[in-house]
Amino acid sequence: MIRIRPAATVAFILLACGSAWLVALPLWLDGGLANPLAGILIPVMMFTPALAVLIVMLVLRPVPRGDRLRFLGIWPLRPAKRVVWMMVLGLFAPIVVIAVSVAVAALFGWVRLDLVGFSGFAEQLAASLPAGVPAPPATAVILAQLLAIPFAAATINALLAFGEELGWRGFLVPALRQYGTWPALLISGGVWGLWHSPLILLGYNFGVTDITGVLLMTAGCIAWGVLLGWLRLRSASLWPAVFAHGAMNAAGGMILWFYAAGTSVDPALAGMLGVAGWITCALVVVVLMLTGQFRKQPELDGAVGRMLSAPRQRGE
């Protein structure tokens, strides 16, 4: 059984978070998120966890060379049926979860919806066009964007998400799995959230520039990290989590389709990473727990000695 030394796990976390701050440094030195380089540096930052994995694997060698792809969940993709179906689930389930979170936000009064005229979205659409250019019907644009989500999730978004997922669910979840399923899921989600700090403290996602935004992001990443981590453990493959992360990023602005004109959306409450998202993820986790899904953690192609085959503790 491969047991990752704590030194390798800590080194990975420090490298991933430290390199994220290094990539974001130009934004802190000049203009913040308004810096013209933000559109380049933010995607580049998404590859810092992958870089940290590469450095740890090459320098500290916590996993034997021949076992690295298996340990990280990259290859082989067997049994193919299970991996493919979990990839499909990863592509579409986040869309449903985010849609439910919109309903939860409306139920608690955190957003006022317009499901007939989509007036808030129509207002945004009109404002985004040059003066005198008629806006297309909001329903047509929403339908087109909805249909595009799985394609974006499986292509460009998946490529960017891979940079993160190789670190969080590829390395960190199985590295922590020796301490139990829930410690692995919760700690990896918390690290994932804190890793976003260089951007969150500039106002990214929540529009606040203090510790409040970091705490909100960390809670949101723990909530979603449990679901992405479950995909990783349940499939013994990295790819379902990659596609799910891509789908999350593609569908994250869904609530902006539905809110009423003249109102606003507070991402801390109504967003997918806010309280509505936490509640929805918690409901999904309860269903998975009641159906025993966290206990089903199969091997990838029967590989011997992977962390996913660590003896399970009672109650996991």
Side-chain angles (χ1 to χ4, degrees), residues 12 46 49-51 53-54 68-69 72-74 161-174 232 238 242:
F12 162 76
M46 294 179 72
L51 176 63
V53 170
L54 182 63
R68 289 173 185 171
L69 293 182
L72 295 171
I74 296 175
F162 175 79
E164 290 192 46
E165 289 303 314
L166 184 63
W168 312 134
R169 261 60 65 173
F171 178 80
L172 191 56
V173 165
R232 170 71 169 97
L238 174 66
V242 168

Side-chain angles (χ1 to χ4, degrees), residues 7 54 62 117 131 136-137 142 158 185 189 192 197 228 297 314:
L54 182 63
I142 290 171
L185 296 177
W192 180 30
S197 296
L228 296 183
Q297 298 177 17
R314 183 173 298 178

Side-chain angles (χ1 to χ4, degrees), residues 19-30 35 41 198:
S19 55
W21 275 100
L22 186 62
V23 170
L25 184 60
L27 306 183
W28 280 81
L29 294 176
D30 184 19
N35 188 312
L41 294 178

Side-chain angles (χ1 to χ4, degrees), residues 7-276:
T9 303
V10 172
F12 162 76
I13 294 171
L14 293 177
L15 283 167
C17 294
S19 55
W21 275 100
L22 186 62
V23 170
L25 184 60
L27 306 183
W28 280 81
L29 294 176
D30 184 19
L33 298 177
N35 188 312
L37 292 176
I40 298 173
L41 294 178
I42 292 174
V44 168
M45 180 175 151
M46 294 179 72
F47 286 92
T48 56
L51 176 63
V53 170
L54 182 63
I55 294 172
V56 167
M57 286 293 184
L58 293 178
V59 176
L60 298 181
R61 302 178 181 178
V63 180
R65 185 188 299 271
D67 292 330
R68 289 173 185 171
L69 293 182
R70 291 179 185 274
F71 181 84
L72 295 171
I74 296 175
W75 190 261
L77 303 179
R78 292 198 297 264
K81 182 178 179 180
R82 182 183 70 218
V83 176
V84 169
W85 276 112
M86 295 297 286
M87 287 166 62
V88 171
L89 182 65
L91 275 177
F92 292 98
I95 302 172
V96 176
V97 173
I98 293 171
V100 173
S101 75
V102 173
V104 168
L107 180 65
F108 281 92
W110 297 328
V111 65
R112 185 159 65 85
L113 304 181
D114 177 3
L115 301 179
V116 178
F118 306 103
S119 54
F121 183 74
E123 194 174 73
Q124 291 181 73
L125 195 59
S128 68
L129 296 173
V133 176
T139 51
V141 177
I142 290 171
L143 180 59
Q145 291 186 0
L146 178 62
L147 294 175
I149 286 175
F151 296 99
T155 53
I156 183 63
N157 281 25
L159 176 62
L160 295 173
F162 175 79
E164 290 192 46
E165 289 303 314
L166 184 63
W168 312 134
R169 261 60 65 173
F171 178 80
L172 191 56
V173 165
L176 295 171
R177 178 63 185 79
Q178 60 191 303
Y179 307 111
T181 295
W182 285 103
L185 296 177
L186 297 175
I187 294 172
S188 62
V191 172
W192 180 30
L194 292 173
W195 169 85
H196 289 86
S197 296
L199 298 180
I200 300 301
L201 291 172
L202 290 174
Y204 197 69
N205 278 115
F206 298 102
V208 294
T209 56
D210 56 29
I211 192 63
T212 303
V214 175
L215 294 175
L216 287 167
M217 189 67 182
T218 301
C221 285
I222 289 173
W224 280 96
V226 170
L227 299 183
L228 296 183
W230 171 76
L231 286 172
R232 170 71 169 97
L233 295 174
R234 183 66 180 84
S235 67
S237 172
L238 174 66
W239 302 109
V242 168
F243 287 125
H245 194 154
M248 282 175 56
N249 290 345
M254 184 184 296
I255 195 169
L256 299 179
W257 296 344
F258 304 120
Y259 80 104
T263 65
S264 60
V265 177
D266 183 356
L269 292 174
M272 74 166 190
L273 291 166
V275 181

